[in-house]
Amino acid sequence: MWKRKTLKKKAIALLKQRYLNMISVCFLIAMLTTAYAVSTTFLNLQFPSAAPSSDAAFTPDISNSATVLDTLSHLFDGLPFPGISNDILYNAGSLAIDLFSTNISVFFNTLRAVNYFLTENITVAALLPAASILFAFLYQIFVSNLLLIGEKRFFLENRNYRKTPVSKIFFLYKLRYLRHPAWIMFARLLFQFLWNFTIAGGIIKHYEYILIPYILAENPQISRKDAFLLSKQLMKHNKWKYFLLDLSFFGWKLLSLFTFGLLDFLFVNPYLTACHAELYATLRRNYVLSRAAGYELLNDSYLEHVPSEDELLISKALYDDSQGPYTKISYFAPEQYPVFLFSVQPPLRAVRSPLKADRRYDLLSYLFLFPAFSIFGWLLETVLRLLNTGVVDRTAVFFDPWTPLYGIYGILILLLWKRLLKKPALVFLLNTILYSVLEYLTNLGAELLIGRRLRDYSEFVLNLNGRIYLGGSIAFALIGCAFLYYLAPKWTEKYMKLGHSRRISLCSLLYLLFIADIVISIVIS
C-alpha cells in the first residue's frame, strides 16, 4: 500500500536536497519534448488576431489554434456555433488549444498539410508539408519518447544517488540502444490513440500504460509484451489512486497559469515527476518482494541497493576481467549510479573519454567555428520551420545556407564564458541575456539601415517591441549551451585531425563561399 502524503513528503525532501538538477531536467524535457505543454505555452503564445508583418524577412510560426481554426473555416462557413460570439469563441478556443498542445505534433502537422492542399496548387512544393508530417513523426518516436525515458531514468537514480548528472536523460543515446525502446513507446502511443476513441477506455488505458517509460528506463531490453503486462500488473488496483494523485496537483497547475507557466518550471513539474518516480519505486519494490509473475524483469537492483565502495571495487575487478566496453575507459563517480553494472552496455566504439568543454581554441578553430555554427543554424531553422509550418522560408538576407547570427553568438559565448563552464545554470542565464541583446540590436540596426526588421515577433505575447521574444531567447540559450559544452569541442576535435594545411584550406573555402553569398545577396536584393 502507498499513501499520497508519504510520496509527496519524499518528493519534497528530494527537491530540497537536489533542487537545481531536478528543475534543470524538467526544463530540458519541457523544451525538447512534447511533455509539459502548459509550461511552454506562454513562451511561444501568439496573439490570436494578429497578422504577420509583411515587412519582415522572418515571421513567427503558425500556431496550433490558427491551424485548427483554418481547418474549421475550410469545412464550415464560419464557426458552426450559433448564439456564441465568434470573438469569444475564437479567443477562448485558441488559448485552450495552445495551452494543451505542442508545435511539434503529427496531428497538427497533418492539419497544416491538409490546409495547404486545400488552398494551394499541388506542385513539387507540396512535398514539404508532407515531409513535415514525417519529420514530426520521427521526432516524436526517436527524440521525444526516448528523452522521456531518460527523464524517468534520472529521477529513479536521483532518489538514491545524490550526484546523478542531468545528462542522464540522454542515456539511451549514449548506450546506442534506440530502436527497441522506440518501438515499444510507439506501440504505447498507437494503442493509446486507438483506445481514446472509446473515451472511458482511453482514460483507463492511459493509467494502465503510464508506467511503461519507467519500466523501459529500468530495463530497456524488455519485450513489448512484457512491458505492457508489467505496467498493467503494477497499476492493478492503483489506477484510481494514481488519478487522485494527479488530481491533487490541479491547484498547483491552476496557480501556474497565473504565473505564465513560471511556477511549473520552478516547482510543479519537478515536484510532480518526483512523486511519480517515488510511486513507481514503491510499486516496483512491492512487486519484486511478492515474487509476482515477471518480477525478475525488474532487474536493476542498484536502483534500491546502493553498493558500498568495497562492492564496487570487487565488481569492477570482475568486470575488467570480462573485457567489456568500459575496460579501457571507466571511472568511479562518487554518489553516482555505477554505469558499468547496468544491464545494457554500449558498443566498444561508443565508449570514449568525455569531451573537454574547457579546451583551448586557437585562431583557426575560432575562424572555423563561425561559419560552421552559421551553417548549423541555417539547417536547424530550416528543419524547425518545416516542422512547425510545413514550409521552408528563407530570411531573404543571405542567399543560403548561412545564419551569421548563430556564428557571432557562438564565438562570443566561447570567448566570454570560458571561466564559467562549471556553472551551467549561470551560463544558461547569461546566454539568454546575450542572445536577447544581440537579436534586439540586429533587428534595430536592420530597421535603421534597410527600413525593416529581419525577424518580426509582434505576434508573440511575451515580446519586446517585436524585436525579441522570451521563447526564442530561451531556445537560443539552450542551443548556446549545446554549442559550448558539446558541439564546439566535438567539431574542433575533428577539425584538428585534418592537419594544418587542410585546416587553412577548409577555412579559406568557407570564407570565400560566405563572401560570395554576401555579394549574391546584395545583388539579388
Side-chain angles (χ1 to χ4, degrees), residues 27 31 43-44 380 384 409 428 432 435 469-481:
F27 178 78
M31 297 301 295
L43 296 180
N44 300 301
L380 180 64
L384 289 178
Y409 173 61
F428 171 79
T432 306
Y435 178 76
Y469 82 105
L470 184 60
S473 297
I474 289 176
F476 258 88
L478 287 175
I479 294 169
C481 288

Side-chain angles (χ1 to χ4, degrees), residues 95-247:
L95 182 59
I97 292 168
D98 289 332
L99 272 176
F100 298 101
S101 64
T102 56
N103 281 339
I104 301 177
S105 162
V106 175
F107 174 74
F108 287 104
N109 279 52
T110 302
L111 284 187
R112 292 185 185 103
V114 170
N115 291 337
Y116 180 89
F117 291 132
L118 291 174
T119 57
E120 303 289 339
N121 295 325
I122 299 179
T123 61
V124 177
L127 293 175
L128 292 175
S132 73
I133 300 173
L134 177 61
F135 277 130
F137 174 77
L138 294 175
Y139 189 90
Q140 178 73 40
I141 300 303
F142 291 105
V143 179
S144 288
N145 286 347
L146 297 183
L147 288 178
L148 286 174
I149 296 173
E151 178 198 35
K152 311 313 179 194
R153 183 71 201 181
F154 169 85
F155 274 89
L156 290 177
E157 289 188 15
N158 186 62
R159 295 174 57 253
N160 291 316
Y161 298 93
R162 190 170 65 88
K163 293 186 179 179
T164 302
V166 173
S167 61
K168 184 61 69 173
I169 64 175
F170 303 106
F171 87 107
L172 287 173
Y173 296 96
K174 292 180 180 179
L175 295 177
R176 306 285 179 92
Y177 195 78
L178 306 177
R179 285 182 294 179
H180 184 67
W183 153 244
I184 296 176
M185 290 294 284
F186 168 71
R188 173 184 182 244
L189 188 68
L190 177 62
F191 294 164
Q192 181 67 59
F193 173 75
L194 295 174
W195 275 107
N196 285 343
F197 287 106
T198 66
I199 303 177
I203 297 173
I204 293 171
K205 290 298 178 181
H206 168 74
Y207 284 100
E208 188 174 296
Y209 299 157
I210 203 164
L211 296 182
I212 290 176
Y214 289 95
I215 294 169
L216 288 170
E218 178 172 356
N219 181 7
Q221 294 176 316
I222 193 171
S223 69
R224 182 199 64 77
K225 182 179 178 181
D226 288 333
F228 276 73
L229 178 62
L230 274 177
S231 182
K232 180 179 179 180
Q233 291 296 102
L234 288 169
M235 289 302 294
K236 191 174 183 180
H237 306 307
N238 287 301
K239 289 187 279 291
W240 177 248
K241 293 180 72 176
Y242 203 117
F243 169 76
L244 292 178
L245 174 64
D246 286 345
L247 191 63

